[in-house]
């Protein structure tokens, strides 16, 4: 359906379509191809043009690292700089384990979910639904997360306060990114808690796009 005249598929990349300016792709949605991370047959269906090679690279835990920087949480920064599995270390802190949780453990998975739920401003009830646990357990995990990384919650509250001040003074709730762009809520959107996600995901998109520019300047395209 999406094949072009040259026999190949060229997705349409939307660099600023999402509210956070995170890049997305359509025709087809190449970034979300089912099983692409685990099914070797799917991965092998991507073929470079003759004389070219694919290069795979990734910003590991980019949004968690941006969150740590923006919040200036020394404990979260130390956990990242330790070089260990961030989510395993987080699980160790939340559940009081004697060592980082194993990669396939339930503690690691729910701790990872808690970190990203926090990025999206989810409360215990929403987190419980997405994690498939009780509200009581979700509350325990989120409280453990904020106790482990004490600057995260104050940063979220500060972002919300600044957005609320701007809403009062300008009629528009927004945050500013490091490149000068402003991300704002819609006129009928009062989800100030989402501004943390706007700031983190927005800055992560800035880093990724700068990385793409650097790669292009190196002749990689």
């Amino acid at each position: 359906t999406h094949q072009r005249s040259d026999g190949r598929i060229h997705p349409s990349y939307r660099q600023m379509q999402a509210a956070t300016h995170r890049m997305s792709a359509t025709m087809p949605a190449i970034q979300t191809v089912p099983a692409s991370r685990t099914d070797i047959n799917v991965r092998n269906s991507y073929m470079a043009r003759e004389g070219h090679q694919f290069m795979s690279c990734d910003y590991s835990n980019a949004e968690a690292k941006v969150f740590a920087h923006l919040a200036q949480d020394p404990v979260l920064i130390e956990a990242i700089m330790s070089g260990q599995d961030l989510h395993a270390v987080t699980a160790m802190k939340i559940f009081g384990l004697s060592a980082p949780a194993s990669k396939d453990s339930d503690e690691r998975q729910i701790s990872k979910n808690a970190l990203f739920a926090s990025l999206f401003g989810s409360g215990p009830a929403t987190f419980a639904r997405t994690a498939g646990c009780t509200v009581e357990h979700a509350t325990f995990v989120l409280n453990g997360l904020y106790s482990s990384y004490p600057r995260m919650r104050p940063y979220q509250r500060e972002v919300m306060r600044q957005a609320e001040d701007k809403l009062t003074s300008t009629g528009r709730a927004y945050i500013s990114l490091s490149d000068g762009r402003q991300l704002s809520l819609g006129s009928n959107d009062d989800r100030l808690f989402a501004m943390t996600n706007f700031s983190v995901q927005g800055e992560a998109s800035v880093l990724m796009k700068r990385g793409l520019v650097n790669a292009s300047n190196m002749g990689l395209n």
Side-chain angles (χ1 to χ4, degrees):
T1 303
H2 302 297
Q3 192 176 54
R4 303 288 181 88
S5 59
D6 62 358
R8 305 184 71 85
I9 292 174
H10 301 272
S12 175
Y13 288 97
R14 303 178 299 179
Q15 297 195 36
M16 299 175 65
Q17 183 73 20
T20 60
H21 290 184
R22 184 174 186 175
M23 184 180 291
S24 60
T26 60
M27 301 178 62
I30 201 73
Q31 295 170 307
T32 55
V33 175
S36 61
R37 294 185 178 183
T38 56
D39 190 333
I40 192 64
N41 292 320
V42 174
R43 283 184 173 269
N44 286 343
S45 68
Y46 298 93
M47 300 177 63
R49 296 196 305 268
E50 185 176 352
H52 294 74
Q53 292 182 330
F54 280 133
M55 183 179 73
S56 176
C57 56
D58 183 33
Y59 285 134
S60 177
N61 288 318
E63 291 176 352
K65 291 173 180 176
V66 169
F67 197 4
H69 171 73
L70 294 176
Q72 282 297 288
D73 189 298
V75 185
L76 182 54
I77 292 173
E78 182 181 355
I80 292 170
M81 296 298 291
S82 71
Q84 299 183 80
D85 182 327
L86 172 61
H87 305 301
V89 172
T90 300
M92 180 181 69
K93 293 178 180 295
I94 292 175
F95 294 98
L97 307 177
S98 59
S102 63
K103 192 172 184 62
D104 299 323
S105 68
D106 291 339
E107 290 87 356
R108 181 189 181 279
Q109 184 59 49
I110 198 168
S111 298
K112 178 180 179 180
N113 291 346
L115 180 59
F116 287 103
S118 180
L119 288 177
F120 284 94
S122 299
T126 302
F127 174 45
R129 287 196 299 273
T130 58
C133 65
T134 65
V135 174
E136 291 76 17
H137 191 55
T139 301
F140 166 80
V141 174
L142 285 176
N143 286 341
L145 178 72
Y146 293 131
S147 296
S148 301
Y149 303 126
R151 278 292 307 155
M152 287 175 58
R153 196 60 173 157
Y155 170 73
Q156 291 175 311
R157 290 171 177 154
E158 178 61 17
V159 170
M160 290 177 62
R161 185 194 64 77
Q162 291 180 8
E164 189 169 22
D165 288 346
K166 289 168 182 173
L167 178 61
T168 301
S169 61
T170 70
R172 187 168 64 96
Y174 67 90
I175 55 98
S176 298
L177 300 180
S178 60
D179 64 352
R181 285 180 295 132
Q182 295 178 348
L183 303 182
S184 62
L185 294 174
S187 57
N188 296 318
D189 192 344
D190 60 356
R191 299 173 305 124
L192 291 177
F193 64 84
M195 299 310 291
T196 296
N197 180 51
F198 275 42
S199 64
V200 172
Q201 210 171 83
E203 289 295 351
S205 76
V206 171
L207 292 174
M208 185 199 68
K209 289 166 187 174
R210 285 175 176 167
L212 290 174
V213 170
N214 291 337
S216 179
N217 290 338
M218 293 169 61
L220 302 174
N221 50 53

